[in-house]
Amino acid sequence: MVTKVKEEGKFTREFENLGSQSELLVSEPIQGWNEKVVYINRCAKVVKGGRRFSFGVLVVAGNKNGLIGIGQGKSKEVSDAIRKASGSAKKRVFQVSLLNATIPHVTIGCADGGRVILKPACPGTGVIAGGGVRAVLEVIGVKDVLSKSLGSNNHLAMVHATLDALLKLRTKEQVKALRSADVDQGDA
């Protein structure tokens, strides 16, 4: 199901519901992106004349207002890899439900070997997280949250597990709307 959403009169987005994931297909560029490089991986290939290096980059991009994208880029130069990863992150954007400067409820996300637990925190607590989890939470606009990473410490696994946890978040209004829709369908 694809519906078009007009937000703040700035641009039109197509909103596609993918089960538990909600991906935004952006038709016009969104202003105010913040990008963070999570990890740069250097790979060496041994050839006859010595070593050839290539670089893989993991980037998260967000607008500090609930939109986030994750991208990967590979190239022989670091700057080219970062540019490719940024472009990839801006092509695949997700909307996350936030509550003021924190998250609405406790949630657990799993991806590959990584597991992340996110808990809401009181104002003034700050972002208690490390590595890729902190980068994702900062670009999304969360200011107060507690987190614990379990399982794998692979950067990509932790970033995807954090995104999985964030996509499971629902506000009170969203839950009420879902429950009223279920009651209406049950009566029919």
Side-chain angles (χ1 to χ4, degrees):
M1 181 175 106
V2 176
T3 56
K4 290 193 175 182
V5 180
K6 183 102 175 179
E7 189 171 296
E8 302 170 9
K10 292 181 183 174
F11 47 85
T12 305
R13 295 190 212 146
E14 293 178 7
F15 187 75
E16 183 177 353
N17 191 357
L18 304 171
S20 66
Q21 297 182 353
S22 44
E23 182 177 0
L24 296 174
L25 305 173
V26 181
S27 58
E28 292 181 26
I30 300 171
Q31 301 300 320
W33 279 105
N34 293 324
E35 299 173 0
K36 284 205 170 196
V37 175
V38 178
Y39 184 66
I40 299 175
N41 183 37
R42 186 181 79 169
C43 183
K45 178 182 178 182
V46 179
V47 293
K48 186 177 179 182
R51 292 190 183 111
R52 295 248 171 102
F53 294 106
S54 62
F55 298 92
V57 177
L58 176 63
V59 170
V60 291
N63 71 343
K64 293 202 178 240
N65 198 16
L67 290 180
I68 185 167
I70 298 172
Q72 289 181 284
K74 295 178 183 178
S75 179
K76 293 184 178 181
E77 297 290 329
V78 176
S79 58
D80 290 341
I82 291 173
R83 182 182 44 77
K84 287 180 183 179
S86 300
S88 174
K90 291 176 184 177
K91 285 180 186 173
R92 194 164 172 225
V93 180
F94 296 94
Q95 176 73 45
V96 176
S97 301
L98 300 177
L99 179 66
N100 299 328
T102 188
I103 58 175
H105 55 83
V106 177
T107 182
I108 299 173
C110 300
D112 301 326
R115 287 183 54 190
V116 172
I117 300 172
L118 299 176
K119 296 180 182 181
C122 300
T125 303
V127 177
I128 310 297
V133 179
R134 174 179 286 274
V136 169
L137 294 172
E138 285 178 351
V139 299
I140 237 172
V142 175
K143 293 189 176 107
D144 302 307
V145 71
L146 303 170
S147 73
K148 177 67 181 168
S149 60
L150 307 168
S152 173
N153 61 358
N154 182 321
H155 297 282
L156 186 61
M158 298 313 302
V159 167
H160 281 290
T162 306
L163 181 63
D164 181 52
L166 290 169
L167 291 175
K168 292 179 182 177
L169 294 175
R170 302 286 179 257
T171 61
K172 284 184 181 180
E173 293 78 21
Q174 290 171 331
V175 173
K176 284 181 184 177
L178 286 172
R179 288 182 181 173
S180 67
D182 289 343
V183 170
D184 293 342
Q185 289 177 358
D187 293 340

